[in-house]
Amino acid sequence: MRKRRQPVAATPSQGALESLLARHYAAQKKYARRLQEDTSPRERELAHLLYEENRHEYKRIYHQLYGSSAFIEVTEDGR
């Protein structure tokens, strides 16, 4: 009987992770703005859910890229 081999996942480069981090940072700002501007309860709830989901991904990528150092500042473009 043959064992199936799983392909090895390539780890993203630092540049790719920085790009993802910047995109998630921009999305966070957009969802936060939508939370403040939208008057519809449904739209506000959707913006809140998207904000929280995106925040989780942002933190995961941040820790993957920089570790758990609290002294790294994130600039306006998310880097």
Side-chain angles (χ1 to χ4, degrees):
M1 182 193 273
R2 270 188 182 172
K3 288 185 179 181
R4 287 181 92 170
R5 292 186 180 192
Q6 296 286 337
V8 177
T11 56
S13 68
Q14 183 171 348
L17 287 174
E18 287 176 348
S19 176
L20 276 173
L21 195 66
R23 279 190 266 156
H24 282 295
Y25 183 79
Q28 283 298 97
K29 289 177 67 175
K30 178 178 85 172
Y31 297 140
R33 188 172 47 250
R34 280 178 55 186
L35 267 170
Q36 293 175 353
E37 293 173 354
D38 287 333
T39 56
S40 161
R42 184 169 186 256
E43 288 296 318
R44 185 171 281 150
E45 179 66 23
L46 177 61
H48 177 71
L49 291 172
L50 290 170
Y51 181 89
E52 287 300 318
E53 180 180 321
N54 192 69
R55 184 176 70 89
H56 175 73
E57 281 300 304
Y58 177 87
K59 287 172 68 176
R60 184 185 65 77
I61 293 168
Y62 181 91
H63 287 296
Q64 186 177 356
L65 189 59
Y66 299 116
S68 59
S69 174
F71 299 105
I72 297 175
E73 290 187 31
V74 179
T75 62
E76 189 65 26
D77 67 349
R79 296 178 186 206

